[in-house]
Amino acid sequence: MSRVALLLLLFAGCSTAAQTRSVYTTLERCRTTEQNLDEGWISQRCPGTAGYALNVHEGDLRQSVDVVAPGGAVFPLALWSVVSSAFSFVGPRAEWWIVRRRPVALIVRLGASEDPAHPERTTSRLAVARVSPRGACVVAVVQPAADMNGQARRLADRAARMPCLAAP
């Protein structure tokens, strides 16, 4: 085999092995795991991918998401403090960023009612979280823009190397 053919084979194998793809899972058809109607909160387990799941929590008209690793470890993303402390709701689906069959990032939409004079108006942001069996945290928040989905996906490509965001 020539050196050129060997190099082409090597590069083709490397690019195929590291290909990134996305998988969507629903945040609408989840099963209730806990609730307290008197206190007004609920927790639900939603399907994930590759052994992961998501917990969606709602309380005080705010929602947030936890990443549940295959071993059962739970990592709160604290969207209600990291992304917005206003009344909020998560979007209908989550986008998992997959490399070598493993989730490495998660993109979740959060709508927030931040204008008390017009509570019907919501601002939609995308939270980008890094994901691993050892932890998960929000690393970026994409503000409303024409290409916010593209921005979120580019950030998901780098999420593993980005620091966790703290609540403001």
Side-chain angles (χ1 to χ4, degrees), residues 6-145:
L6 184 61
L7 286 174
L8 287 174
L9 184 62
L10 177 65
F11 286 125
C14 288
S15 65
T16 302
Q19 280 185 337
T20 302
R21 66 183 179 96
S22 66
V23 172
Y24 292 93
T25 59
T26 185
L27 297 176
E28 294 182 313
R29 290 183 299 276
C30 307
R31 68 177 172 78
T32 299
T33 55
E34 292 182 88
Q35 68 179 344
N36 185 316
L37 298 176
D38 293 333
E39 294 179 12
W41 60 264
I42 187 170
S43 294
Q44 297 182 309
R45 175 67 55 96
C46 304
T49 188
Y52 284 83
L54 296 173
N55 289 336
V56 175
H57 305 288
E58 181 175 342
D60 192 26
L61 299 177
R62 292 165 177 83
Q63 289 188 329
S64 190
V65 174
D66 300 340
V67 174
V68 182
V74 177
F75 306 108
L77 297 182
L79 301 177
W80 43 35
S81 58
V82 175
V83 179
S84 177
S85 60
F87 297 142
S88 61
F89 56 92
V90 296
R93 63 187 182 167
E95 182 177 4
W96 299 84
W97 214 237
I98 310 292
V99 175
R100 294 185 187 100
R101 298 186 197 154
R102 279 190 0 209
V104 296
L106 177 72
I107 301 170
V108 177
R109 185 174 299 276
L110 187 76
S113 176
E114 297 174 330
D115 183 352
H118 299 280
E120 73 283 358
R121 294 182 188 164
T122 59
T123 302
S124 179
R125 293 182 180 86
L126 293 175
V128 180
R130 73 171 178 229
V131 174
S132 80
R134 297 176 312 282
C137 66
V138 175
V139 297
V141 177
V142 179
Q143 300 300 326

Side-chain angles (χ1 to χ4, degrees), residues 97 104-107 128-129 151-160 162:
W97 214 237
V104 296
L106 177 72
I107 301 170
V128 180
Q151 289 178 40
R153 290 178 181 130
R154 288 187 291 279
L155 288 162
D157 280 335
R158 302 187 337 250
M162 297 173 69

